[in-house]
Amino acid sequence: MQITQYTDYALRVLIYLGACPERRVTIKEVAETFDISRSHVMKIVNQLVSLGFVEGTRGKGGGLRLNRAPAAIGVGEVVRLMEPGFDLVDCFRAESGCLLSSGCRLKGALHTALQAFLAALDEVTLADLIVNQPRLRNMLGVIALNPSP
Amino acid sequence: MQITQYTDYALRVLIYLGACPERRVTIKEVAETFDISRSHVMKIVNQLVSLGFVEGTRGKGGGLRLNRAPAAIGVGEVVRLMEPGFDLVDCFRAESGCLLSSGCRLKGALHTALQAFLAALDEVTLADLIVNQPRLRNMLGVIALNPSP
DNA sequence: CACGAAGATGCATTTTAAGTGTATCTTTTA
DNA sequence: TAAAAGATACACTTAAAATGCATCTTCGTG
Ligand code: SF4
Ligand code: SF4
């Protein structure tokens, strides 16, 4: 049982942006900081932009910025939208082959558990993740406020 | 986000055994009923036996039987033991490369959510899954009580 | 005792989804 | 107009899960 890096990286991007609200951050910078494939971050950012979490501007001096207040970005919301699927088991997906799928109580139990999981994440917002901004910046080795002359 | 078939199949085996408490069930029978690889069921059953959930007897007339009362088999317990890992994200595993892992609040939130997930499954036992035994047997197309003459 | 039915064990192969790499296009500012 | 950035599209690689196959062990039956 695991969450895709895709989703975790999305949250890392949001955390990074939340830690640097005063400037635009480039995809390259994020990818290098976390040592991730640039392509992967690309895809993630594209989705974050199309979902309205992030604003991306092209061209020289461009980059990424949060498009919502951190307190208005729920972790549960992000996970729900970014994670490719929550088909915990066969029967969650249409055309399941499982003989039991019609009346299986396990199915219901797993569904309930999944809701509990997401509900727990709904209690947390991006703002909760970026308290102590100075420490975050330090961990990330973030560059000075004004990138380069 | 998904659970391995390994774990779900383990629960299917337990449900099957719970539905046929009066006789021994063979691995072949389970594999064919659910249309799963026999090897896979083998591995699963082996672990279920070594964990004490199931009793396996070899030789002619052998097969599988539950080794505990259904009400004493918690779904959460089974999932915890059978699922290969609960390393939701990078940092859950030792030697994580994530820069944030030292003080990341997301990590804590995910951990809490995972606990909520498992706690929900702890509310359910195998006995809850096999109420309405006749219907279960019907769905499984289970053979008559005495296998063959 | 020998045979066949069952589980136990081990290893090699296949499959699939996740992640990575590369190329090209578009936008924007210096 | 050139360089810096994101956007888009496609091909490739990787790793874990699942499957297949072969062999061994155990045990009941005739
Ligand atoms: S056993 Fe129950 S939970 Fe598992 S796949 Fe079949 S219907 Fe779904
Ligand atoms: S971002 Fe937080 S949760 Fe995700 S891997 Fe890094 S430390 Fe763990």
Side-chain angles (χ1 to χ4, degrees):
Chain A
M1 183 173 172
Q2 58 191 35
I3 280 178
T4 58
Q5 292 179 214
Y6 187 85
T7 300
D8 184 52
Y9 291 166
L11 287 157
R12 292 196 206 182
V13 168
L14 294 174
I15 291 171
Y16 200 121
L17 297 184
C20 303
E22 76 290 343
R23 66 181 173 96
R24 290 186 223 269
V25 175
T26 68
I27 287 177
K28 190 183 174 206
E29 183 183 341
V30 175
E32 288 179 353
T33 299
F34 289 117
D35 194 25
I36 313 173
S37 150
R38 228 168 289 182
S39 303
H40 210 195
V41 180
M42 265 299 176
K43 275 196 238 169
I44 291 159
V45 164
N46 284 183
Q47 193 177 350
L48 286 172
V49 167
S50 77
L51 290 171
F53 289 109
V54 166
E55 183 202 51
T57 54
R58 304 187 190 186
K60 215 165 187 173
L64 313 168
R65 216 182 350 179
L66 285 179
N67 197 28
R68 290 205 218 164
I73 297 180
V75 173
E77 186 188 1
V78 174
V79 171
R80 274 180 239 261
L81 291 167
M82 300 301 290
E83 186 69 12
F86 290 98
D87 302 324
L88 289 187
V89 283
D90 207 1
C91 59
F92 277 37
R93 180 140 196 91
E95 310 209 0
S96 154
C98 182
L99 287 176
L100 300 171
S101 59
S102 66
C104 182
R105 307 235 169 180
L106 176 57
K107 179 160 67 170
L110 287 169
H111 189 261
T112 302
L114 177 59
Q115 296 313 311
F117 178 86
L118 292 169
L121 295 181
D122 282 332
E123 298 299 308
V124 186
T125 73
L126 181 58
D128 298 320
L129 304 182
I130 60 178
V131 293
N132 206 343
Q133 221 179 78
R135 193 183 170 199
L136 259 186
R137 282 166 175 264
N138 195 37
M139 286 195 286
L140 293 170
V142 158
I143 329 298
L145 300 196
N146 297 323
S148 49
Chain B
M1 184 170 170
Q2 57 191 35
I3 279 178
T4 57
Q5 293 180 210
Y6 187 85
T7 300
D8 184 50
Y9 291 167
L11 287 158
R12 292 197 206 180
V13 169
L14 293 174
I15 290 170
Y16 199 122
L17 297 185
C20 304
E22 76 289 345
R23 65 182 173 96
R24 290 185 223 268
V25 175
T26 68
I27 288 178
K28 190 183 173 207
E29 184 182 343
V30 175
E32 288 179 352
T33 299
F34 288 116
D35 194 25
I36 315 173
S37 150
R38 226 168 291 182
S39 302
H40 209 196
V41 180
M42 267 297 176
K43 276 197 237 169
I44 291 160
V45 164
N46 285 181
Q47 193 178 348
L48 286 173
V49 167
S50 79
L51 289 171
F53 289 110
V54 166
E55 183 203 49
T57 54
R58 303 187 191 186
K60 212 164 189 173
L64 312 169
R65 217 184 348 180
L66 285 180
N67 197 28
R68 291 206 217 166
I73 298 181
V75 173
E77 187 187 2
V78 174
V79 171
R80 273 179 239 261
L81 291 167
M82 300 300 291
E83 185 70 12
F86 290 98
D87 302 323
L88 289 187
V89 283
D90 207 2
C91 60
F92 277 35
R93 179 138 198 92
E95 312 210 358
S96 153
C98 182
L99 287 176
L100 300 171
S101 59
S102 66
C104 182
R105 306 234 169 181
L106 176 56
K107 178 160 67 168
L110 287 168
H111 189 260
T112 302
L114 176 58
Q115 296 313 312
F117 179 85
L118 292 170
L121 295 181
D122 282 332
E123 298 298 309
V124 186
T125 73
L126 181 58
D128 299 319
L129 304 183
I130 59 177
V131 295
N132 206 342
Q133 224 179 73
R135 191 181 173 202
L136 259 186
R137 282 168 175 263
N138 195 37
M139 285 196 285
L140 293 170
V142 156
I143 329 297
L145 300 196
N146 296 323
S148 51

